[in-house]
Amino acid sequence: MNIPTSLRRVRVPLALTAAVMLAASACGGAEAGSSGSGDGDKLAGTIKVDGSSTVAPLSTVAAQLFQSENSGVKVTVGTSGTGGGFEKFCAGETDISNASRPIKDEEKAACEKKGVKFEEFSVANDGLSVVVSKDNDFADCLTVEQLKKIWEPGSKVNNWNQVDPKFPNQKLELFGAGTDSGTFDYFTDAINGEEGASRTDYSPSEDDNVTVQGVSGSKGGMGYFGLSYFEENKDKLKALKIDGGDGCVAPEIKTVQDGSYKPLSRPLFIYPKASSLDKKEVEAFVEYYVENNATIAEKSQFVPLNAEQETELKKDLETLREQHKS
């Protein structure tokens, strides 16, 4: 079954849930009520997923494929950001939380306080791409030190010639992730050495489409978001190579998987709630998601897990099955 291109990388938060709810009819051709759990039972119910806007398109495709085999199940996917998603998750409002970073200690504590237990699965990889306008014909590679000079708290860099004297006198306009985003947490930690440490005089948004529009509309624009979303906007943007200490490396599937694109490559996660896994439809969806992670990653244009990650994921799935045999 081919997923329509328009549904692969949905980034409009209000439209995302509707796209998922319509997935079963969009895919078509599946036997009504067929079960992805393999037990012959008809699955029914609603599964609520929320969290990272980066991971949302991955979970959207997983939901579409799963619903095509289980028409009685509706999966809704929201985009509250990784932090916002964990707030809802720990409050008991959702079944699964999408995250573009591991859960924080304070979020674990919030869940524990509410009696919310969970599992963690790494389901794909992503790299953060630093993007500039197609009209930028002078910058091809930046060092981590240069990125820090631009993005660190209190930075007054507002012209490209302040980044490198060889660059022209061109105003620098910055766009990036909002503070409730896992992408923001990851980027600031990787570049500035402290999660959440960033200059504040840039245009933040939880919607990557806003960053695309801003950077593509400014010759001196710069922004950052997931590599997979850059792939959808290659016609409008240019991704910079990053020198993490071993020379300039372009953001690509191979470099993300082998770790040479550093420090801006990362794993992506889903966190199913333990009590929700007691519901057959949720357990079946999580198993389907994990078992078909490579196909889901490919169809949603993410970077698949490497061999070591795949082995670890299979172990985690077996542990889950053992826990829920009864």
Side-chain angles (χ1 to χ4, degrees):
M1 179 184 67
N2 293 321
I3 301 297
T5 301
S6 62
L7 292 179
R8 288 184 186 172
R9 300 297 296 158
V10 180
R11 289 299 173 119
V12 183
L14 293 178
L16 189 54
T17 297
V20 179
M21 295 285 282
L22 292 172
S25 60
C27 291
E31 181 181 349
S34 63
S35 173
S37 62
D39 59 7
D41 295 335
K42 291 182 178 180
L43 297 173
T46 298
I47 302 172
K48 295 181 180 180
V49 184
D50 207 322
S52 167
S53 61
T54 298
V55 184
L58 187 74
S59 291
T60 298
V61 170
Q64 290 172 10
L65 295 173
F66 180 76
Q67 287 176 139
S68 72
E69 299 180 15
N70 300 277
S71 60
V73 180
K74 293 181 179 179
V75 184
T76 63
V77 181
T79 53
S80 298
T82 296
F86 277 132
E87 286 181 12
K88 290 184 176 182
F89 183 69
C90 294
E93 298 175 18
T94 58
D95 300 298
I96 299 170
S97 206
N98 291 329
S100 56
R101 56 158 173 78
I103 189 170
K104 297 178 180 179
D105 288 341
E106 56 265 36
E107 290 164 340
K108 289 181 182 179
C111 278
E112 185 176 351
K113 185 176 181 180
K114 294 287 187 176
V116 174
K117 297 181 180 180
F118 54 84
E119 305 291 341
E120 177 188 272
F121 295 100
S122 177
V123 289
N125 292 302
D126 195 18
L128 292 191
S129 51
V130 178
V131 296
V132 295
S133 167
K134 278 282 190 180
D135 294 329
N136 185 321
D137 56 3
F138 50 86
D140 181 61
C141 174
L142 292 181
T143 66
V144 172
E145 289 74 18
Q146 286 174 319
L147 285 173
K148 182 178 181 182
K149 183 179 179 181
I150 294 169
W151 287 98
E152 66 185 348
S155 173
K156 300 300 181 184
V157 175
N158 57 19
N159 195 295
W160 278 93
N161 61 18
Q162 292 174 274
V163 180
D164 187 327
K166 295 178 183 177
F167 292 157
N169 178 16
Q170 175 68 55
K171 182 181 179 182
L172 177 64
E173 294 186 75
L174 299 175
F175 304 83
T179 56
D180 205 25
S181 166
T183 296
F184 173 81
D185 293 339
Y186 185 80
F187 183 82
T188 52
D189 185 40
I191 299 302
N192 295 330
E194 182 183 347
E195 194 173 285
S198 174
R199 67 188 297 171
T200 57
D201 57 339
Y202 72 101
S203 298
S205 178
E206 303 295 345
D207 183 357
D208 292 339
N209 283 308
V210 174
T211 299
V212 170
Q213 293 166 7
V215 176
S216 62
S218 169
K219 184 176 181 178
M222 173 190 285
Y224 62 88
F225 43 55
L227 168 61
S228 49
Y229 200 54
F230 164 70
E231 295 293 329
E232 285 291 306
N233 292 279
K234 278 185 173 180
D235 58 327
K236 304 182 186 75
L237 302 167
K238 179 174 78 171
L240 297 178
K241 297 175 184 176
I242 304 300
D243 184 351
D246 296 317
C248 297
V249 179
E252 299 169 349
I253 290 177
K254 179 180 181 298
T255 60
V256 169
Q257 279 189 322
D258 65 22
S260 60
Y261 180 66
K262 57 184 182 181
L264 295 178
S265 56
R266 59 178 176 172
L268 302 175
F269 304 90
I270 59 169
Y271 288 82
K273 187 166 59 179
S275 60
S276 293
L277 288 168
D278 290 334
K279 297 186 290 185
K280 286 186 177 181
E281 67 273 17
V282 177
E283 183 181 15
F285 175 61
V286 171
E287 286 196 357
Y288 184 91
Y289 202 145
V290 170
E291 288 176 339
N292 296 279
N293 68 85
T295 298
I296 293 166
E298 180 183 354
K299 286 185 177 293
S300 53
Q301 299 183 1
F302 280 91
V303 180
L305 300 174
N306 60 36
E308 183 179 349
Q309 290 173 314
E310 183 71 33
T311 298
E312 186 65 28
L313 183 60
K314 287 179 180 178
K315 289 181 182 178
D316 291 341
L317 180 58
E318 285 306 311
T319 300
L320 176 69
R321 284 171 170 159
E322 288 295 322
Q323 291 173 345
H324 291 269
K325 269 186 177 179
S326 57

